[in-house]
Amino acid sequence: LQRIVPGDRSVAGGVVHGDGELVSLQRIVPGDRSVAGGVVHGDGELVSLQRVVPGDEDSDPDVPVVDPTPEDPTPNIPQALYPTTSDAIPDDVTAPYAVAAVMYDGYLWKGDALGGTIQVKVAKMAKNGTAKVTVTIQLETQKLSFKSVADATGAVTAMSTGGHTLHIFLGRNGLRGQLDSAYMIDGARNLFTSKDKGEKTSAETLAKRLQGVVNVVLPEGRGTLSATIATKGKVKVAGSVGSVKVSAASQLLIGEDACAIPIVITKNTSLAFLIWVDATGALSVNGLAEAVVGRPGALGAGATFRLDASVLAKTLPGLYTDYLPNGLTVSQSEAKWLVASGAKAGKVQLDRKTGAVDATKLGENPSGLKLLYTTKTGTFKGSFKAYVLENGKIKAYSANVAGVLVGDRGYGTATVKKPVASLPVTVE
């Protein structure tokens, strides 16, 4: 590692930036000891970082001169809360916490997947321009804690007891950085905790406009979740993944032109994704391909309950697929969904004389499907029975249904208790 003092004109090679910075990266083969300067590692790798002052006319003429561009520690974030034209750290990083203690909330990306959440608590700035910070990071598999000091530019470098290295920049509004060079960090100042009444009121007004339920349908029928946004920006998440009920808490993050809700579930299952709300209020999901997201609407007239019987038949040999609630009409009455009038629950049983299914007992709803819709949460739940012929006798297996309404369509999962089997269902 070399540093050249101003006035040194003897440097050749590398790339000279417009501000006079030259970065040279060299590699030599093992055993080569003929290189002057730098550090030669045991495997023969030499890394040389050099700097020259602006106006060096004697630099190598073959070295291209480029305009200076600040380096961005988070170049791979799919969407940033405070994007800049150069994808670099914003210029507003000077003394963001000078007036009072502040808090930041954000999220971590690893490749194309959401990797966790981050919260940074910053104490009031000291006379020397620094401020103590406490950082909590929740990854899908572990929780990390850091304590450090932010300098007057908002830069923080810290290491956890487990050896994880954190490097972040605290802007006046945004948070950017890296964890272990593997996770990219993005975030925003938590305006709901601001000491500025105007900022706090504006944040609460926005949260009030966005408040309510946002439903998410996981891909491949894995389950459904409901995120409820409160007026203070707090978000409660509840739902099911397969046969497992899950819950989590999150925070509405307010960006320059958009908002984000990072969701990380660690109990009973591992799941992480980001709900993105653009300036128009449109919703999308990052980090969870083919997921469906939206606000609950109203069930359309003549809606029917549908499921893929072939999925269940693989788990339950001898299943009477014709007597599942596939295609059964569902209607909406006030806040409840009801199986259509006249579709009374029947049952599947064998005629003792013929040994065939007794058609007189089936009714219009042989599986006994029941559904209940809750307007407040945009969710529905219910149950039915799956009938199977086993050893010459009919056995009924109980199945539970849970799902959400997105627009005018219901998405859910039916789960048979024993043996455990799950399959996607729709109501549309």
Side-chain angles (χ1 to χ4, degrees), residues 24-25 34 53-54 93 97 104 138 140 180 191 201 227 241-242 276 285 290 294 304 311 335-336 340 355 366 424 428:
S24 175
L25 183 64
S34 60
V53 296
V93 295
Y97 36 79
Y104 294 80
Q138 178 64 64
E140 285 189 81
D180 295 338
L191 301 180
T201 300
V241 179
W276 191 263
V285 171
E290 300 181 6
T304 57
V311 175
K336 298 180 179 179
E428 60 177 331

Side-chain angles (χ1 to χ4, degrees), residues 32 36 40 55 93 126 161 166 200 223 227 237 240 252 276 280 305 325 344 403 419:
D32 189 343
V40 180
V93 295
T161 54
L166 176 70
K200 188 174 182 180
V237 182
S240 59
L252 178 68
W276 191 263
T280 67
F305 182 94
K344 296 181 180 180

Side-chain angles (χ1 to χ4, degrees), residues 158-178:
M159 180 172 289
S160 71
T161 54
H164 298 277
T165 302
L166 176 70
H167 183 62
I168 55 176
F169 286 89
L170 305 174
R172 194 174 302 279
N173 295 306
L175 162 69
R176 306 291 283 275
Q178 287 183 333

Side-chain angles (χ1 to χ4, degrees), residues 47 163 209 382:
V47 177
R209 181 168 64 85

Side-chain angles (χ1 to χ4, degrees), residues 5 22 26 38 44 61 74 93 118 168 171 199 213 261 284 287-288 301 331 339 344 378 407 419:
V5 296
L22 175 87
Q26 300 173 312
T74 56
V93 295
I118 180 173
I168 55 176
E199 283 188 338
V213 175
I261 304 173
S284 59
L288 196 62
S331 63
V339 175
K344 296 181 180 180

Side-chain angles (χ1 to χ4, degrees), residues 115-131:
T117 58
I118 180 173
Q119 185 175 81
V120 183
K121 295 180 180 179
V122 187
K124 188 175 181 180
M125 179 183 279
K127 292 182 179 180
N128 63 358
T130 64

Side-chain angles (χ1 to χ4, degrees), residues 4-346:
I4 299 177
V5 296
D8 189 336
R9 301 293 186 268
S10 61
V11 180
V15 177
V16 180
H17 294 277
D19 63 353
E21 183 172 346
L22 175 87
V23 177
S24 175
L25 183 64
Q26 300 173 312
R27 182 178 181 85
I28 58 175
V29 297
D32 189 343
R33 298 295 182 267
S34 60
V35 180
V39 177
V40 180
H41 296 279
D43 62 354
E45 182 172 303
L46 170 75
V47 177
S48 175
L49 180 66
Q50 301 171 316
R51 181 178 178 85
V52 296
V53 296
D56 186 346
E57 289 80 8
D58 296 330
S59 297
D60 191 329
D62 295 328
V63 175
V65 177
V66 297
D67 292 331
T69 302
E71 292 184 4
D72 182 5
T74 56
N76 298 320
I77 293 177
Q79 287 173 298
L81 288 166
Y82 283 90
T84 62
T85 54
S86 63
D87 289 329
I89 293 298
D91 294 329
D92 61 354
V93 295
T94 303
Y97 36 79
V99 179
V102 296
M103 182 182 296
Y104 294 80
D105 286 289
Y107 44 86
L108 296 85
W109 285 99
K110 188 174 184 179
D112 295 329
L114 189 72
T117 58
I118 180 173
Q119 185 175 81
V120 183
K121 295 180 180 179
V122 187
K124 188 175 181 180
M125 179 183 279
K127 292 182 179 180
N128 63 358
T130 64
K132 294 181 180 180
V133 298
T134 302
V135 183
T136 302
I137 291 178
Q138 178 64 64
L139 303 177
E140 285 189 81
T141 56
Q142 61 180 318
K143 192 173 185 177
L144 306 177
S145 298
F146 301 84
K147 288 186 177 182
S148 187
V149 175
D151 65 21
T153 70
V156 180
T157 298
M159 180 172 289
S160 71
T161 54
H164 298 277
T165 302
L166 176 70
H167 183 62
I168 55 176
F169 286 89
L170 305 174
R172 194 174 302 279
N173 295 306
L175 162 69
R176 306 291 283 275
Q178 287 183 333
L179 173 68
D180 295 338
S181 300
Y183 293 91
M184 306 301 168
I185 299 172
D186 184 44
R189 186 161 55 89
N190 188 328
L191 301 180
F192 298 98
T193 63
S194 176
K195 303 299 182 181
D196 185 297
K197 291 185 178 180
E199 283 188 338
K200 188 174 182 180
T201 300
S202 296
E204 292 176 352
T205 300
L206 176 59
K208 188 175 182 179
R209 181 168 64 85
L210 297 176
Q211 74 177 342
V213 175
V214 174
N215 287 329
V216 179
V217 182
L218 305 182
E220 300 177 352
R222 290 175 55 199
T224 56
L225 300 170
S226 291
T228 304
I229 306 172
T231 54
K232 301 294 185 180
K234 297 295 183 180
V235 181
K236 292 183 178 180
V237 182
S240 59
V241 179
S243 60
V244 178
K245 291 185 178 181
V246 298
S247 62
S250 186
Q251 174 69 47
L252 178 68
L253 310 182
I254 299 177
E256 186 175 15
D257 297 309
C259 297
I261 304 173
I263 296 177
V264 177
I265 299 174
T266 59
K267 188 176 181 179
N268 297 329
T269 189
S270 180
L271 181 66
F273 61 92
L274 186 76
I275 298 176
W276 191 263
V277 189
D278 70 14
T280 67
L283 300 163
S284 59
V285 171
N286 283 340
L288 196 62
E290 300 181 6
V292 178
V293 62
R295 302 275 188 175
L299 193 65
T304 57
F305 182 94
R306 299 190 181 280
L307 54 78
D308 187 349
S310 64
V311 175
L312 197 55
K314 294 178 181 178
T315 304
L316 297 174
L319 175 70
Y320 284 103
T321 57
D322 291 342
Y323 305 133
L324 290 172
N326 194 20
L328 196 62
T329 301
V330 177
S331 63
Q332 185 169 359
S333 175
E334 297 179 354
K336 298 180 179 179
W337 288 357
L338 305 171
V339 175
S341 177
K344 296 181 180 180

